[in-house]
Amino acid sequence: MSTLVFVEHHGNELQKGSLGVLSKAATLGEGDVAAVLVGAGVKALASEVATYGAAKVYVAEDASLDPPLPQSRVDVLAKVVRDGGYDTVLFANSVLAADIAAGLAARLDAGLNWDLVDVVQQDGRLVGKRPALQDSVLVDVGWTSEPRLALFRAGSFDATAGAGGEPQIEDVAVELEEHSRGAKVVDQQLEESSGPSIEDADVIVAGGRGLGSPDKFTLAEELARALGGAVGATRAVVDAGWYPYASQIGQTGKTVSPKLYVALGISGAIQHKVGMQSSNVIVAINKDANAPIFEFSDLGVVGDLHEIVPKLTALLNQRKGA
Ligand SMILES: Cc1cc2nc3c(=O)[nH]c(=O)nc-3n(C[C@H](O)[C@H](O)[C@H](O)COP(=O)(O)OP(=O)(O)OC[C@H]3O[C@@H](n4cnc5c(N)ncnc54)[C@H](O)[C@@H]3O)c2cc1C
């Protein structure tokens, strides 16, 4: 088995999800694992990538690759897969990675299994694990041809850095197809935020309609800050304009699986549940003892969040200060 992992970066920061996929690939135990970095000024990140289990890091560096566009990355990956003879290509889900994986599948006439949460070697074959029926079962999925492409759900694997030797770095000559030069990024807006993104966070504090008003999201933000986490939201509050869509969790938002998910004033509708139920530990604070969220929480607190959350945040800050 020869595996290639697409490692995504934003600026100088490697995306934790793709490092998690790389760490996982390194534990599959068959053959060397290579990573590919694509962008402008990415060579400096190669050594760091190696610590997550890549024996070889392909570096495609070119100013034309600076805008985060998928087609140019499909060109680079198709070349690396063909020249290097890789039979398996793995991606961590993101808006960009999903586009690249789909484009690469079309370019190489390859099968892509998406929304996987795990992959194992079983009887000498690679088997992907894909949640189905609103995440109530895991289905085994495979590939009938090579290369095998897979896209993993955010938070599926921990990114574990090891010692990592000096990686073998291979520069990739960048030759873009004519059609890959067609799209241009004319403007990029960066959302100002502090702390981790909800895709990367180990802790998410999510707020629902029970917060009562948009300004009360500060309760979720302060608790998230105290826990070193990110803030999520339900569709009800996003639709009401209380919080940005980027933080929506659920069927029509993001799927997350942090170590800790704290739900504040969230009823636990099925459309929200499917986006967060694979979190390690779910803590819910809700004033209604019959709220559905308590049916799938590890810890439930029945009470008024406006009384409980400020005290919880103060306690956490006090402990941190001590
Ligand atoms: C096609 C479709 C797609 C959808 N996609 C999504 C999605 O991606 N994500 C999503 O979240 N939803 C989604 N929804 C909407 C979903 O069905 C629910 O309407 C939504 O999740 C409810 O949000 P909520 O829990 O914030 O609000 P509510 O259901 O109104 O719940 C508010 C909760 O707060 C509690 N509460 C009130 N006051 C307090 C207080 N002072 N202290 C403590 N608790 C309090 C109440 O007891 C209640 O349980 C979708 C719906 C459809 C039809």
Side-chain angles (χ1 to χ4, degrees):
M1 185 172 147
S2 52
T3 308
L4 181 71
V5 178
F6 172 69
V7 175
E8 190 171 337
H9 69 99
H10 296 286
N12 285 329
E13 212 170 301
L14 296 166
Q15 198 227 11
K16 216 169 104 191
S18 51
L19 295 177
V21 171
L22 180 57
S23 305
K24 173 67 188 184
T27 66
L28 286 173
E30 274 192 36
D32 275 347
V33 176
V36 57
L37 275 167
V38 187
V42 285
K43 204 166 198 167
L45 303 171
S47 302
E48 191 184 344
V49 169
T51 63
Y52 291 87
K56 186 173 193 175
V57 181
Y58 291 94
V59 176
E61 206 166 49
D62 194 85
S64 66
L65 297 168
D66 192 31
L69 289 169
Q71 276 308 324
S72 48
R73 282 156 177 79
V74 171
D75 291 346
V76 171
L77 265 81
K79 180 176 165 51
V80 173
V81 172
R82 284 187 184 126
D83 293 355
Y86 288 96
D87 55 40
T88 308
V89 191
L90 308 179
F91 298 84
N93 191 27
S94 72
V95 173
L96 178 64
D99 267 359
I100 301 168
L104 191 64
R107 185 78 62 87
L108 300 177
D109 197 19
L112 167 65
N113 273 311
W114 57 279
D115 199 29
L116 301 186
V117 293
D118 201 4
V119 63
V120 292
Q121 284 282 2
Q122 223 165 280
D123 303 326
R125 290 195 315 168
L126 198 66
V127 176
K129 305 283 176 182
R130 184 175 193 275
L133 299 175
Q134 286 165 344
D135 286 4
S136 58
V137 290
L138 280 184
V139 178
D140 284 355
V141 293
W143 293 259
T144 54
S145 62
E146 290 177 357
R148 299 170 285 233
L149 271 51
L151 185 70
F152 291 92
R153 215 179 246 196
S156 294
F157 309 112
D158 284 338
T160 25
E166 250 331 282
Q168 190 190 340
I169 297 178
E170 189 166 324
D171 292 318
V172 182
V174 178
E175 297 150 17
L176 300 187
E177 302 275 347
E178 193 52 42
H179 66 257
S180 302
R181 300 175 187 276
K184 299 254 178 300
V185 172
V186 287
D187 190 18
Q188 283 192 76
Q189 301 285 337
L190 284 182
E191 191 181 11
E192 291 290 331
S193 66
S194 56
S197 68
I198 61 171
E199 290 95 333
D200 280 350
D202 285 336
V203 177
I204 293 177
V205 178
R209 203 152 27 192
L211 284 170
S213 57
D215 56 304
K216 286 290 185 282
F217 252 93
T218 50
L219 291 175
E221 288 166 349
E222 282 160 12
L223 181 56
R225 202 170 304 125
L227 290 166
V231 177
T234 65
R235 176 163 165 180
V237 295
V238 170
D239 282 355
W242 293 9
Y243 225 62
Y245 171 69
S247 45
Q248 183 178 316
I249 292 165
Q251 187 185 322
T252 42
K254 287 178 179 147
T255 302
V256 294
S257 44
K259 293 196 169 80
L260 173 66
Y261 191 91
V262 186
L264 307 179
I266 293 177
S267 58
I270 182 71
Q271 296 89 353
H272 186 74
K273 183 183 172 191
V274 295
M276 47 64 83
Q277 65 185 345
S278 52
S279 306
N280 259 11
V281 176
I282 298 171
V283 177
I285 303 176
N286 196 305
K287 68 177 184 185
D288 175 6
N290 294 316
I293 194 145
F294 289 132
E295 289 164 22
F296 54 94
S297 299
D298 299 284
L299 181 73
V301 183
V302 180
D304 186 347
L305 70 88
H306 298 102
E307 286 172 22
I308 298 165
V309 177
K311 286 183 189 159
L312 186 59
T313 306
L315 200 65
L316 282 161
N317 286 334
Q318 195 185 321
R319 286 243 176 121
K320 278 206 296 192

